[in-house]
């Protein structure tokens, strides 16, 4: 299986060409030290980064911060970094040389916390000349440790290049605070590579080529229906193709399964808001039901079910939903960004 294999792509032959984003990433990495790759869920960020890195044959370390606990400690970050390094021979060599240097240095009188930091800084320094990919980096904001300072340290004192990516784009920028004069990363030059859904023509081409790879012939109407329902999101198109090729499910059933998956992810994300969660759910249900909702519709709707909500609480809630990528605001109205999630909210939230 090529295009429709479900995991993030790593090989050029499985990767449906994203020429524009590919060359943007190439230019950005050649020109500068820091690239921010953004795009909502399932737009293909990880696949673009991994395939590009493998193809370019540069040394790189890929950190998937989704694997970290919900509150991130420096130690869990270090464990992830070390685990990734052990996946290739140069990483193992690097860790070995660092460990033996550490033993020789012995107890150099640092307190435990500082020692952890010293050790990670040494590892990062030793990555000289390679690329550090930090995927889903917005999760690093949930920490007592200032990971933005760590990134600034890497930027300022090493020749390690950084690719920072995340699907919760607003939260990612809230973490990086690149435009905030008070923040450690302020003033550092960076480029953004932004991924968007495929155009209708490209999405069609992707489905047709993927089906050809599976030797499948599908009624034109099924393809048109999928294009209508999946909105050019490459992850959903892949899911659809994979399910057609392997499951023998009807297209309606596939949308249904996908929407349950999307709602499960949403529910997990909303847990973050604790006691405030019912209001978030209500705001999403109203938006999904109306298709697009105004501020007043949202306020009235939430109050009708859950009692008074102040303007500042509502604006905070909408900002969080927007920065997490669940909704967008267009011409004063809020809409769901993902048609499959909308379907899921209508039936399963
Ligand atoms: N260019 C591509 N060619 C073929 N398949 C792709 C491509 N980009 C993404 N996919 C497929 O789409 C799905 C989502 O891709 P990927 O995980 O790279 O996206 P993402 O933006 O990192 O998603 P998330 O935000 O969930 O981490 C995967 O099944 C992947 O195999
Ligand atoms: Mg990803």
């Amino acid at each position: 299986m090529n295009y429709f294999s479900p995991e993030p792509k790593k090989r050029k032959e499985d990767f449906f060409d994203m020429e524009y984003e590919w060359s943007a990433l190439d230019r950005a990495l050649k020109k500068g030290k820091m690239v921010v790759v953004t795009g909502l869920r399932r737009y293909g960020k990880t696949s673009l980064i991994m395939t590009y890195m493998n193809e370019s044959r540069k040394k790189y370390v890929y950190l998937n911060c989704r694997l970290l606990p919900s509150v991130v400690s420096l130690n869990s970050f270090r464990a992830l970094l070390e685990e990734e390094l052990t996946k290739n021979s140069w990483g193992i060599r690097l860790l070995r040389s660092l460990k033996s240097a550490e033993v020789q240095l012995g107890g150099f009188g640092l307190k435990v916390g500082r020692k952890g930091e010293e050790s990670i800084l040494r590892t990062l320094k030793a990555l000289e000349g390679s690329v550090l990919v930090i995927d889903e980096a917005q999760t690093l904001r949930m920490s007592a440790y200032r990971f933005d300072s760590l990134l600034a340290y890497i930027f300022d004192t090493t020749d390690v290049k950084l690719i920072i990516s995340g699907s919760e784009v607003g939260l990612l920028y809230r973490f990086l605070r690149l435009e905030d004069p008070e923040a450690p990363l302020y003033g550092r030059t960076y480029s953004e590579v932004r991924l968007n859904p495929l155009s209708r023509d490209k999405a069609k081409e992707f489905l047709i080529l993927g089906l050809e790879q599976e030797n499948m012939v599908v009624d034109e109407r099924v393809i048109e229906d999928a294009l209508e329902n999946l909105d050019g999101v490459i992850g959903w198109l892949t899911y659809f193709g994979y399910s057609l090729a392997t499951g023998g499910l009807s297209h309606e059933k596939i949308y249904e399964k996908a929407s349950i998956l999307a709602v499960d992810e949403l529910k997990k994300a909303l847990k973050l808001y604790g006691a405030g969660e019912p209001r978030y759910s209500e705001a999403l249900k109203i938006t999904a039901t109306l298709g697009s909702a105004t501020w007043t519709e949202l306020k009235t709707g939430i109050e009708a079910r859950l009692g008074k909500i102040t303007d500042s609480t509502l604006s905070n809630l909408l900002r969080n939903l927007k920065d997490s990528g669940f909704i967008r605001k267009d011409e004063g109205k809020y809409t769901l960004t993902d048609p499959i999630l909308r379907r899921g909210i209508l039936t399963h939230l």
Side-chain angles (χ1 to χ4, degrees):
M1 195 169 270
N2 300 94
Y3 284 177
F4 292 162
S5 62
E7 66 285 349
K9 302 301 191 291
K10 291 191 173 117
R11 306 184 310 168
K12 198 83 197 262
E13 59 267 38
D14 301 335
F15 183 81
F16 179 70
D17 205 1
M18 291 180 163
E19 281 161 59
Y20 179 78
E21 293 81 358
W22 185 282
S23 47
L25 179 58
D26 185 53
R27 253 180 287 125
L29 263 188
K30 282 182 177 145
K31 187 179 76 184
K33 285 180 88 170
M34 180 159 61
V35 189
V36 184
V37 177
T38 60
L40 299 187
R41 288 225 59 185
R42 300 185 173 81
Y43 280 15
K45 302 170 296 294
T46 305
S47 297
L48 172 73
I49 296 168
M50 301 263 245
T51 311
Y52 174 86
M53 289 313 305
N54 286 331
E55 197 68 14
S56 72
R57 306 206 170 276
K58 282 191 184 62
K59 275 200 235 167
Y60 75 99
V61 190
Y62 171 82
L63 302 183
N64 179 3
C65 295
R66 270 204 195 115
L67 300 175
L68 293 168
S70 54
V71 178
V72 187
S73 67
L74 187 60
N75 260 338
S76 55
F77 184 80
R78 185 174 62 159
L80 182 65
L81 176 62
E82 293 190 356
E83 192 185 319
E84 282 305 317
L85 282 169
T86 55
K87 288 186 180 161
N88 56 57
S89 53
W90 68 268
I92 293 172
R93 277 199 303 278
L94 183 147
L95 283 175
R96 270 206 204 116
S97 65
L98 284 169
K99 289 274 182 268
S100 62
E102 216 160 283
V103 172
Q104 278 164 28
L105 283 170
F108 36 82
L110 292 168
K111 286 194 223 96
V112 180
R114 287 277 295 148
K115 208 167 168 180
E117 189 172 36
E118 284 286 327
S119 152
I120 201 164
L121 296 183
R122 266 201 304 277
T123 312
L124 291 167
K125 272 256 184 218
L127 290 175
E128 292 284 330
S130 58
V131 180
L132 179 62
V133 182
I134 307 183
D135 204 354
E136 300 302 339
Q138 71 280 354
T139 57
L140 299 177
R141 78 193 190 286
M142 307 288 278
S143 177
Y145 183 74
R146 292 292 302 271
F147 281 100
D148 52 347
S149 300
L150 186 69
L151 295 181
Y153 172 86
I154 300 171
F155 189 99
D156 292 343
T157 66
T158 73
D159 74 352
V160 173
K161 297 205 179 202
L162 287 166
I163 299 182
I164 298 168
S165 185
S167 47
E168 299 177 290
V169 182
L171 296 183
L172 179 63
Y173 279 113
R174 267 202 237 169
F175 161 60
L176 296 172
R177 296 197 293 146
L178 289 151
E179 315 295 333
D180 175 354
E182 306 287 312
L185 278 164
Y186 177 69
R188 309 300 187 283
T189 47
Y190 70 99
S191 319
E192 177 176 333
V193 176
R194 182 176 282 263
L195 273 69
N196 289 303
L198 299 180
S199 67
R200 199 174 170 103
D201 283 350
K202 280 277 171 198
K204 188 168 184 176
E205 187 187 333
F206 177 72
L207 278 183
I208 290 173
L209 290 175
L211 288 165
E212 268 174 30
Q213 289 166 353
E214 303 310 313
N215 295 317
M216 285 183 72
V217 183
V218 171
D219 194 318
E220 173 83 16
R221 275 170 305 181
V222 173
I223 294 182
E224 289 301 326
D225 191 64
L227 296 174
E228 204 57 53
N229 279 283
L230 305 175
D231 232 11
V233 178
I234 195 157
W236 287 137
L237 295 164
T238 305
Y239 183 91
F240 184 79
Y242 177 80
S243 307
L244 272 189
T246 58
L249 296 174
S250 72
H251 49 287
E252 271 303 320
K253 194 80 198 141
I254 297 173
Y255 306 145
E256 173 66 8
K257 274 185 69 183
S259 73
I260 292 173
L261 184 71
V263 164
D264 284 346
E265 289 168 1
L266 172 69
K267 284 181 185 160
K268 242 183 252 159
L270 293 185
K271 280 210 183 108
L272 182 70
Y273 301 110
E277 188 271 337
R279 284 172 169 165
Y280 282 81
S281 295
E282 197 52 40
L284 289 165
K285 282 187 210 164
I286 296 164
T287 312
T289 309
L290 297 178
S292 64
T294 61
W295 165 279
T296 314
E297 284 165 340
L298 285 159
K299 187 164 161 83
T300 321
I302 294 172
E303 290 189 337
R305 288 191 59 113
L306 301 167
K308 179 113 186 100
I309 181 168
T310 63
D311 284 356
S312 70
T313 307
L314 181 59
S315 76
N316 199 30
L317 175 155
L318 292 171
R319 178 169 173 244
N320 286 336
L321 287 175
K322 195 151 74 68
D323 285 354
S324 304
F326 294 123
I327 60 171
R328 65 164 66 92
K329 190 176 177 190
D330 275 332
E331 293 167 9
K333 289 192 157 202
Y334 297 91
T335 50
L336 268 303
T337 51
D338 181 342
I340 288 293
L341 181 61
R342 180 179 176 212
R343 178 188 281 258
I345 290 171
L346 288 173
T347 39
H348 301 290
L349 189 67

